[in-house]
Amino acid sequence: QVRLVESGGGLVQAGASLRLSCAASGSIIMTNNMSWFRQAPGKQREWVATISRGGQTNYQDSVKGRFTISRDSAKNTVDLQMSSLKPEDTAVYYCYTVVGFPLWGQGTQVTVSS
């Protein structure tokens, strides 16, 4: 059964950086559009970034210039490099793709203190 497993979350101060990774079995990381979403306490889950099968990237306006989504073929992961973190980036971050049906990871907590 295909699963997405996120890692790399943690507690950091504002202005710091974190790198999240999403791993999966098989080749879906390399062959599927892959996205990151996040859900802050009391808020709806929101889209953050997507990398297409062809490598095109798109970002939510609030993270443009600060976050970078990429694939690591050696590790078979899709990563989210987050820089200049702000308290409003605090959320559970989820990896997402579609494999005939929506597939979500379990999430990883990112907490940014002011």
Side-chain angles (χ1 to χ4, degrees):
Q1 186 174 359
V2 177
R3 291 173 56 205
L4 298 175
V5 179
E6 301 96 335
S7 62
L11 171 62
V12 296
Q13 290 189 329
S17 299
L18 272 178
R19 188 176 186 88
L20 306 183
S21 288
C22 172
S25 57
S27 61
I28 63 169
I29 295 287
M30 300 301 155
T31 60
N32 282 34
N33 295 339
M34 300 296 301
S35 297
W36 285 93
F37 284 72
R38 66 186 180 186
Q39 187 166 18
K43 295 187 177 181
Q44 288 190 328
R45 193 171 297 188
E46 63 175 6
W47 170 75
V48 174
T50 295
I51 184 165
S52 73
R53 288 188 301 175
Q56 183 177 15
T57 58
N58 288 285
Y59 300 92
Q60 182 197 109
D61 285 347
S62 70
V63 307
K64 281 182 182 176
R66 300 189 298 123
F67 289 13
T68 302
I69 188 171
S70 62
R71 285 188 175 88
D72 188 323
S73 58
K75 296 188 300 180
N76 197 32
T77 61
V78 58
D79 299 338
L80 187 67
Q81 177 67 47
M82 307 185 294
S83 303
S84 302
L85 283 162
K86 304 175 181 180
E88 51 264 44
D89 295 318
T90 294
V92 178
Y93 283 72
Y94 297 90
C95 188
Y96 170 82
T97 191
V98 176
V99 289
F101 54 89
L103 182 63
W104 295 92
Q106 83 289 351
T108 185
Q109 177 70 48
V110 173
T111 303
V112 185
S113 63
S114 57

